[in-house]
Amino acid sequence: YAQTPLAVRCISSGSVEITVPLNFWAGKRRTGPEKCSKDSVYEPATGRVLCQLEPCGAVEVDQAVKAAKLAFGYWSKMSGMERARVMIEAAHIIESNREEIAEMEVVNNGKSITEARLDVDSARLCIEYYAGLASTLAGQHVQLPGGSFAYTRREPLGICVGIGAWNYPFQIAAWKSAPALACGNSMVFKPSPVTPVTAVMLAEIYAKAGVPEGLFNVVQGGQETGSLLCQHPDVAKVSFTGSVPTGQKIMEMASKGVKPVTLELGGKSPLLIFKDSDLENAVRGALMANFLSQGQVCSNGTRVFVQKDIMPEFVKEVVKRTQAIEIGDPLLESTRMGALVSRPHLDKVLSFVDRAKKEGATVLCGGEPYVPSDPKLRGGYYMTPCVLGNCTDDMICVKEEIFGPVMSVLPFETEDEVLQRANDTSLGLAAGVFTRDVRRAHRVVEHLKAGSCFINNYNITPVEVPFGGFKMSGIGRENGQVTIEFYSQLKTVFVEMGDVDSLF
């Protein structure tokens, strides 16, 4: 499907190096200006240079936006059914190339191949889901006195900007583009400069599926490129996934043009485990809430509150299973934890563990750099997954988002007490509760101040269900039917069937 079989060439050669351009607009890959300074992108599993990133400046951003504007003219006039056919074709291409995309995601991000395949599936399902909604966009008819009436039209916004994060590069590109395209918009997408590769593969897939040239474009770069996109006068909306400080800056920039934003930001989510829980499932849930993608998940339930009665048994089992997690080559089927995304990020996560020890937390297992036995992986960014005991609510490891494989375990006694502690944060992305008491489960969830709550499970994100946060964890939602409202606007039309009743 692609112009260059990236993953096959890079992985089979044993020497990962990508030389094809990573910018894409008006239907094909583009090279930046000759004099532009390039940034090295590293392969997390090995620490080797993967490719050179060409950041886009004002000229390139403008070219991409112009291409999106032209494509919007065609795409927005198509019926929902016509758009759906193209999107379904894109989903089929993703399904046919699942392994290649997943392998490239692993090379670029460091997560295990098992998880990467699930991410590719999520991207495909998201596109299929919004293809199904594309033909359902409709307004309302309202009868008024005297035979007059009004009706509403749900119309696309125009050019939408998507700014992705490095933890789910391909999936986030699909989660942002699918509802945008279903509503008739075009998109300019900027991946994280740490993981620039697979969003371009999605651009090629859309092109192969038959979208108009310029409908989905990819511009590479960091903060400067993102600022240019947010402030471009032709951009109608910005959707961002990432940190709270960056989200605040994006919201500020978008406000100058009164542009709507969707912000999916950080979290420091609580997981409440009551003594009547099914312990086996509670342990599984805690591991899923902390160690997916090397702990680099915004919704992770990193504050694990365990009722005192079962604390010893719970901790013993969690530590045992955490120590058994297989770390190493993320392309191997047996690997369950790959490499963190970069050397600076690995150092940052390890520093949180050191700080926790200084504040009095006990490292029950892990929290150390890990060097795989395979010589070619010795430069990679690995650490052992960590469980911290003797934690208190005022510790940095409990208050701040670590974004790595570090679980903080805290004891509690009563439901009222743990709810107050769980909500004592400026963030509110997710929360979870494990209990066999169905009344308690729903009562607790009602009082948890978080946008995505889980009962007796954690970190499942079906595309049919909205995902997003409360408080400083964001604005708007991704996935689910409601997201149509965030990628469209409502026009009201009044129709007078009689004479004007004038006061003048």
Side-chain angles (χ1 to χ4, degrees), residues 100-162:
E100 180 181 356
I101 300 164
E103 286 178 350
M104 204 64 238
E105 191 84 327
V106 170
V107 168
N108 198 191
N109 168 273
K111 67 174 62 185
S112 74
I113 186 66
T114 305
E115 284 194 41
R117 290 186 188 116
L118 297 175
D119 295 352
V120 175
D121 291 344
S122 174
R124 170 182 59 81
L125 289 167
C126 184
I127 293 170
E128 286 179 356
Y129 176 76
Y130 284 106
L133 288 182
S135 61
T136 69
L137 302 185
Q140 181 185 25
H141 176 276
V142 180
Q143 193 65 47
L144 299 174
S148 296
F149 61 95
Y151 63 91
T152 58
R153 293 168 48 93
R154 189 156 288 284
E155 298 182 349
L157 296 166
I159 302 165
C160 296
V161 160

Side-chain angles (χ1 to χ4, degrees), residues 174-406:
W175 278 20
K176 293 193 184 303
S177 61
L181 269 53
C183 291
N185 303 289
S186 58
M187 176 165 274
V188 180
F189 186 81
K190 189 193 82 66
S192 164
V194 181
T195 52
V197 177
T198 49
V200 199
M201 299 174 81
L202 181 61
E204 289 181 324
I205 287 165
Y206 278 135
K208 179 72 173 176
V211 303
E213 284 188 3
L215 191 72
F216 181 78
N217 310 276
V218 177
V219 296
Q220 304 287 355
Q223 184 177 335
E224 183 184 345
T225 308
S227 298
L228 289 166
L229 286 167
C230 292
Q231 297 177 81
H232 197 289
D234 288 338
V235 167
K237 184 233 168 72
V238 181
S239 177
F240 168 73
T241 297
S243 71
V244 172
T246 305
Q248 290 170 322
K249 290 174 187 173
I250 285 171
M251 192 173 182
E252 185 179 351
M253 286 186 285
S255 73
K256 291 179 169 63
V258 198
K259 298 172 184 177
V261 294
T262 293
L263 301 175
E264 199 271 278
L265 308 178
K268 191 66 185 175
S269 302
L271 176 58
L272 282 50
I273 298 174
F274 287 88
K275 63 183 178 182
D276 66 345
S277 301
D278 179 313
L279 192 67
E280 170 66 19
N281 279 324
V283 168
R284 289 181 183 180
L287 296 174
M288 290 294 286
N290 281 272
F291 299 139
L292 279 177
S293 293
Q294 297 75 252
Q296 299 166 146
V297 183
C298 49
S299 57
N300 270 358
T302 54
R303 294 185 293 146
V304 181
F305 294 93
V306 184
Q307 206 155 20
K308 278 188 175 179
D309 309 57
I310 59 166
M311 174 69 96
E313 190 180 0
F314 173 85
V315 167
K316 180 181 177 183
E317 194 61 29
V318 160
V319 168
K320 175 185 164 187
R321 297 201 193 183
T322 301
Q323 290 173 323
I325 293 172
E326 182 131 357
I327 312 165
D329 187 344
L331 284 167
L332 293 180
E333 298 285 342
S334 59
T335 298
R336 284 297 169 265
M337 183 168 288
L340 275 70
V341 78
S342 70
R343 174 67 63 187
H345 186 64
L346 171 62
D347 292 341
K348 180 183 174 185
V349 174
L350 291 170
S351 73
F352 270 105
V353 178
D354 289 338
R355 177 73 181 268
K357 287 191 282 190
K358 289 174 184 172
E359 291 188 341
T362 303
V363 177
L364 301 175
C365 67
E368 298 174 337
Y370 179 82
V371 181
S373 57
D374 187 337
K376 71 175 183 288
L377 303 177
R378 288 185 180 172
Y381 317 132
Y382 300 91
M383 69 174 283
T384 51
C386 178
V387 179
L388 296 174
N390 290 331
C391 296
T392 57
D393 294 350
D394 58 348
M395 289 179 176
I396 296 296
C397 63
V398 176
K399 292 169 71 174
E400 294 186 15
E401 185 175 33
I402 298 175
F403 221 64
V406 181

